[in-house]
Amino acid sequence: MNASIAGPEIERLIQLLSKLPGLGPRSARRAVLHLLKKREALMGPLAEALADAAEKISTCSTCGNVDVTDPCAICAAPRRDPASICVVETVGDLWALERANAFRGRYHVLGGTLSALDGVRPEDLNMAGLFERASAPEVTEIVLALNATVDGQTTAHYLADRLAGIDVQITSLARGVPVGGELDYLDDGTLAAAFRSRRPT
Amino acid sequence: MNASIAGPEIERLIQLLSKLPGLGPRSARRAVLHLLKKREALMGPLAEALADAAEKISTCSTCGNVDVTDPCAICAAPRRDPASICVVETVGDLWALERANAFRGRYHVLGGTLSALDGVRPEDLNMAGLFERASAPEVTEIVLALNATVDGQTTAHYLADRLAGIDVQITSLARGVPVGGELDYLDDGTLAAAFRSRRPT
């Protein structure tokens, strides 16, 4: 779009919004039109909420989670079990586990996975803190809740190797048929894993 | 998601972003994670751009376009033909015509269409200004560039009726096969219209 049509302010907004995942130039334009229509109700509040978040939110120096406090609310919560640390790739994975109410211990966010292709080495990830935390006397279990992708599993193996010298139990998430899953549509790997791990009912 | 997991600041951001067209709660969460990752490069600038736009941008009192000036850049441009006014439903439609470089006159943005179902009456739209502008001596043509939908065409008919008493030529966009369109995939209405309006080549 010619910059002179809608003015540089709107152009800049479209350009910034189109950098969000799931929004291209076209949908960013649609979002901006919606924002312009709801200037009072949405545009102003969104600007404030963003400025507020950008100012207040920081990364937890213990676990790598994002929060307005450091240590984050999860690390600081006394009712959460300090004996168990769940290692996840991203904050999004942490949120997913919290939504599922799956875990009452504490987390450790790596911030990605090892990747030869993208040149991500162990020192590029939030790993040093994990080895330190795992060595603490109260810690008895490390759950490696990494994605079931090639990079995720490579990272899990690397971590399991590195943690082998420390006196903690290392576990990982079960593989199997997802809830609502139909066998006919599952991939062979999942089906084979589910079969191998079959349990008496 | 439990509000205590990520803090009220992040929750509010997700909630506001999920109101944008094309973003649901899930993609809003993904967008917020992306923003949190790029706090300096994206979150701050986006907050500023939004605040800037919310503060500066207003609706042109002549044509209904949005811009940082009133009258807008198009209404104020001396090189644009004052004899021709193109009536569109929304600012998005105006942008689309400008991108296509289709028109060198001025615009009039209705802000919607008449709709019995949604209870939109003529007085709910930006119409009074149009009749006034159409009566100006320099105006010779009104292009009704409304969408080819039921509501758009109802509105176009209503406007054509109302403008009939004024000495201007009223035109509307041609119907036909879109560029790149395949006959086999076109709807019957478009095909019939294209056939009726066939031209010597």
Side-chain angles (χ1 to χ4, degrees):
Chain A
M1 193 167 85
N2 188 320
S4 69
I5 294 162
E9 289 82 3
I10 296 180
E11 273 311 304
R12 178 149 172 71
L13 205 51
I14 293 173
Q15 193 226 322
L16 285 168
L17 275 175
S18 67
K19 286 185 187 163
L20 291 180
L23 285 178
R26 207 186 178 85
S27 43
R29 213 150 49 211
R30 212 152 59 91
V32 168
L33 282 167
H34 186 80
L35 284 167
L36 287 169
K37 230 187 244 172
K38 312 226 161 179
R39 236 167 293 163
E40 312 275 285
L42 191 52
M43 200 179 217
L46 186 56
E48 278 169 42
L50 278 166
D52 198 40
E55 187 199 341
K56 285 190 195 163
I57 288 166
S58 64
T59 303
C60 174
S61 55
T62 307
C63 76
N65 187 14
V66 287
D67 205 342
V68 288
T69 55
D70 183 9
C72 72
I74 293 176
C75 284
R79 71 197 154 76
R80 298 201 68 129
D81 185 6
S84 192
I85 295 174
C86 177
V87 182
V88 291
E89 290 177 21
T90 65
V91 175
D93 297 336
L94 186 160
W95 289 358
L97 285 166
E98 284 295 294
R99 279 201 301 282
N101 230 328
F103 180 62
R104 303 311 299 162
R106 287 169 187 174
Y107 290 93
H108 195 89
V109 182
L110 293 178
T113 53
L114 297 176
S115 167
L117 222 59
D118 300 332
V120 182
R121 296 156 307 168
E123 53 268 38
D124 298 324
L125 298 174
N126 179 24
M127 280 189 179
L130 174 63
F131 302 137
E132 202 176 296
R133 290 177 75 193
S135 311
E138 72 268 24
V139 176
T140 58
E141 184 187 8
I142 306 278
V143 186
L144 299 177
L146 298 161
N147 289 335
T149 56
V150 172
D151 282 347
Q153 291 310 300
T154 307
T155 311
H157 276 121
Y158 175 85
L159 284 176
D161 271 359
R162 289 287 310 268
L163 291 164
I166 302 172
D167 182 28
V168 284
Q169 197 188 4
I170 297 166
T171 59
S172 52
L173 300 185
R175 296 293 171 76
V177 183
V179 175
E182 295 182 52
L183 298 196
D184 198 15
Y185 292 94
L186 276 180
D187 65 294
D188 299 348
T190 304
L191 214 47
F195 205 86
R196 273 199 307 275
S197 309
R198 65 190 180 279
R199 308 171 305 175
T201 38
Chain B
M1 194 166 85
N2 190 321
S4 68
I5 294 163
E9 288 81 4
I10 295 179
E11 273 310 305
R12 179 151 171 71
L13 205 51
I14 294 173
Q15 193 225 322
L16 285 168
L17 276 175
S18 68
K19 286 184 186 163
L20 292 180
L23 285 178
R26 207 186 178 87
S27 42
R29 214 149 50 212
R30 211 152 60 93
V32 168
L33 282 167
H34 186 79
L35 284 166
L36 286 169
K37 230 186 244 171
K38 312 225 161 176
R39 236 167 295 164
E40 313 275 286
L42 192 52
M43 200 179 215
L46 186 56
E48 276 169 43
L50 278 167
D52 198 38
E55 189 199 339
K56 284 191 197 161
I57 288 165
S58 64
T59 304
C60 174
S61 55
T62 306
C63 76
N65 188 13
V66 288
D67 205 343
V68 288
T69 54
D70 182 9
C72 72
I74 293 176
C75 284
R79 71 197 155 78
R80 298 200 68 127
D81 186 5
S84 192
I85 296 174
C86 178
V87 182
V88 291
E89 291 177 21
T90 64
V91 174
D93 297 335
L94 186 159
W95 289 358
L97 285 166
E98 285 295 295
R99 277 199 304 280
N101 230 329
F103 179 63
R104 301 312 299 162
R106 288 170 187 175
Y107 290 92
H108 195 89
V109 182
L110 292 178
T113 52
L114 298 175
S115 167
L117 222 60
D118 298 333
V120 182
R121 296 156 307 168
E123 55 267 37
D124 297 326
L125 299 174
N126 180 25
M127 281 191 179
L130 174 62
F131 302 137
E132 203 176 294
R133 291 177 74 193
S135 311
E138 73 269 23
V139 176
T140 58
E141 184 187 8
I142 305 279
V143 186
L144 299 177
L146 298 161
N147 288 336
T149 57
V150 172
D151 283 346
Q153 291 310 301
T154 307
T155 310
H157 276 121
Y158 175 86
L159 285 175
D161 271 359
R162 289 287 309 268
L163 291 165
I166 302 171
D167 184 27
V168 284
Q169 196 187 7
I170 298 166
T171 58
S172 52
L173 300 184
R175 296 296 170 75
V177 182
V179 174
E182 296 182 51
L183 298 197
D184 198 16
Y185 291 94
L186 275 181
D187 64 294
D188 298 349
T190 304
L191 213 48
F195 205 86
R196 274 199 306 276
S197 309
R198 64 191 180 277
R199 308 171 304 177
T201 37

